[in-house]
Amino acid sequence: MILKTDCIHFPGDRPCRFNKETGQECTDCPYYISPSGRILIIKLDAVGDVLRSTSILPALHRKYPGYEITWVTRQNAADLFRNNPLVHHVAVFEKPETLMKVMNEKYDILIHPDSNPASGSMASLVNAKKKFGFITDSQGNVSPMNEAASGWLEMGAFDKRKKENRRSYQEILHDICELEYKRDEIQLFLSKNEKEFRDAFKQKHNISRFKKIIGLNTGASARWRLKQWHQHHLETLISSFKDQSEAGILLYGGPEEKERNKSLKEKFPFVIDTGTENSLRHFFSLLDISDIILTGDTLGLHAATALKKEVICLFGPTSSAEIEDYGRITKVVPDMECLVCYKPECDFKPNCMDLISPATVESLIRKKLKS
């Protein structure tokens, strides 16, 4: 048999990408790699968190060269890993065969950085020589695997510790995995087709007439509506950029922002709505058009960061300290005692997001436009 089933690129049930692209077979294949070890990462939620967790991949490859990496995640996050050369296999948590796969196979390292009991049970079942993060015990209790994981668990359990934290999520995650932290970037790669989709949109809307593009990511997840900036603030901000000699404005959002962005487009016909029904990958492609992204602490923040955009991020109920700025993110944090509350509801009027003025944001955008 010429087929080398141990190759890191062979998915097991279909041709590898090199065979599909060039017809290369295993005999004398220059791409053949027999893995020196195997790493399993289980990280399910949320999509933005999964994306920013990809920042550990460069450090993993530095510490464990030649290892095969498999990532288990939910169906809605699986597309994050398209075109990612640092992850060899993606397994969808909801598929029954994924549980059978992780129970049947042996790994050198398991990484499970969430205290989620559902994925913790899977992590407990994995046959791995070394485990980082969390598992659940026979009573269903969450068990941290090292001191760094204990600290992260307590941060999630006690609001005061979360509020006092000054370390980024990326730095904490590297500590949990016992990896050296070098501020590696979030890993997101656009394909040739996705770049062509981006460029076709630019051509359709004559984007080249603008010197720069300001992207407004207007929403937040349904779970964290308080992370969303208020509509009237967005309207005031857009009004201040009516003169398009400085920059054009693109609107971004998902299905939940449909009415919000529609209203903004009706009031300000000069803005360009990128649509709210885009696939995850098309959302990334369109986000790549903008030079400056204004966003809350959402998936859009992590995607814009991965695409190496200049970002202005508005913080209220969530921790700004957990966000690694990479020298490109300007954090806007209002002066309020109850910040980092992580509450889904708030009785304060005005609340933290109300206190972020359009004038402040306009000034920061203009500063980035000049840089």
Side-chain angles (χ1 to χ4, degrees):
M1 185 171 76
I2 64 167
L3 180 62
K4 297 176 180 176
T5 58
D6 63 330
C7 179
I8 207 167
H9 302 297
F10 181 52
D13 59 351
R14 57 192 181 279
C16 72
R17 65 185 178 95
F18 300 109
N19 180 265
K20 294 295 287 184
E21 291 171 0
T22 68
Q24 178 71 52
E25 294 188 349
C26 296
T27 305
D28 300 325
C29 177
Y31 307 108
Y32 167 70
I33 300 174
S34 179
S36 50
R38 308 184 76 213
I39 298 173
L40 180 68
I41 302 171
I42 304 175
K43 170 65 182 170
L44 308 184
D45 301 309
V47 178
D49 260 0
V50 175
L51 180 57
R52 68 173 172 172
S53 298
T54 60
S55 62
I56 63 170
L57 292 169
L60 277 175
H61 281 279
R62 283 196 298 270
K63 186 170 182 178
Y64 306 104
Y67 275 47
E68 177 189 71
I69 296 182
T70 298
W71 196 303
V72 177
T73 193
R74 293 197 188 277
Q75 181 70 63
N76 64 354
D79 280 350
L80 294 174
F81 298 94
R82 279 197 206 171
N83 319 308
N84 189 330
L86 303 179
V87 175
H88 304 100
H89 307 291
V90 177
V92 173
F93 180 74
E94 292 90 337
K95 292 184 176 179
E97 58 266 34
T98 296
L99 180 59
M100 289 186 278
K101 171 184 171 65
V102 301
M103 290 180 67
N104 178 57
E105 299 179 9
K106 293 182 179 179
Y107 298 89
D108 296 280
I109 294 165
L110 166 75
I111 294 173
H112 176 242
D114 283 348
S115 56
N116 182 331
S119 51
S121 297
M122 176 181 277
S124 301
L125 295 171
V126 173
N127 185 345
K129 295 176 184 172
K130 178 71 176 176
K131 295 186 178 183
F132 297 104
F134 304 92
I135 60 171
T136 53
D137 63 21
S138 59
Q139 304 301 309
N141 301 314
V142 176
S143 297
M145 302 305 295
N146 58 20
E147 188 175 340
S150 295
W152 182 234
L153 182 62
E154 290 184 341
M155 212 182 294
F158 305 123
D159 288 343
K160 182 183 177 184
R161 297 198 179 193
K162 190 84 165 173
K163 195 168 185 173
E164 291 173 346
N165 172 55
R166 293 294 177 268
R167 304 171 72 213
S168 73
Y169 171 82
Q170 280 88 330
E171 187 175 0
I172 293 168
L173 182 56
H174 279 69
D175 270 0
I176 290 173
C177 300
E178 298 180 10
L179 297 169
E180 184 182 7
Y181 185 49
K182 294 187 175 181
R183 298 184 84 201
D184 288 302
E185 297 277 354
I186 299 168
Q187 304 295 309
L188 179 64
F189 302 88
L190 297 181
S191 69
K192 180 175 178 288
N193 287 342
E194 289 163 352
K195 291 176 182 176
E196 289 174 352
F197 175 81
R198 172 200 65 193
D199 294 342
F201 186 93
K202 290 170 67 175
Q203 186 173 7
K204 178 181 178 181
H205 294 277
N206 192 21
I207 298 293
S208 62
R209 71 185 188 274
F210 301 114
K211 293 179 182 175
K212 288 193 175 180
I213 298 295
I214 304 165
L216 305 181
N217 186 40
T218 63
S221 68
R223 182 184 177 192
W224 300 107
R225 303 308 294 178
L226 287 177
K227 294 195 290 188
Q228 187 171 275
W229 208 28
H230 292 274
Q231 184 83 353
H232 61 273
H233 282 354
L234 281 168
E235 292 173 3
T236 303
L237 179 70
I238 293 173
S239 295
S240 64
F241 285 97
K242 278 184 177 177
D243 178 3
Q244 296 182 287
S245 62
E246 291 180 286
I249 295 178
L250 265 58
L251 300 178
Y252 296 98
E256 292 167 351
E257 284 71 57
K258 181 178 180 180
E259 294 304 319
R260 182 168 233 230
N261 288 2
K262 180 182 176 184
S263 172
L264 291 171
K265 176 66 178 173
E266 288 173 350
K267 289 186 178 179
F268 305 100
F270 61 89
V271 303
I272 299 170
D273 188 357
T274 62
T276 55
E277 299 292 339
N278 293 300
S279 68
L280 191 61
R281 299 300 304 193
H282 281 173
F283 172 70
F284 296 154
S285 302
L286 295 171
L287 200 63
D288 196 40
I289 296 172
S290 290
D291 301 290
I292 301 165
I293 304 289
L294 174 69
T295 181
D297 182 7
T298 69
L299 167 65
L301 165 64
H302 306 306
T305 305
L307 293 167
K308 299 182 175 53
K309 301 299 173 181
E310 288 290 329
V311 177
I312 296 169
C313 188
L314 313 183
F315 291 92
T318 59
S319 170
S320 62
E322 285 185 16
I323 300 302
E324 182 63 71
D325 68 17
Y326 294 106
R328 301 187 299 272
I329 299 175
T330 300
K331 302 177 184 180
V332 183
V333 184
D335 184 14
M336 203 167 185
E337 281 295 319
C338 58
L339 294 177
V340 199
C341 66
Y342 284 88
K343 291 180 178 177
E345 305 290 339
C346 177
D347 295 328
F348 286 102
K349 293 183 179 178
N351 66 30
C352 51
M353 298 303 278
D354 288 325
L355 294 179
I356 300 175
S357 75
T360 297
V361 177
E362 179 192 350
S363 174
L364 293 170
I365 290 176
R366 293 193 184 284
K367 185 177 179 181
K368 284 189 179 286
L369 285 173
K370 292 176 182 175
S371 63

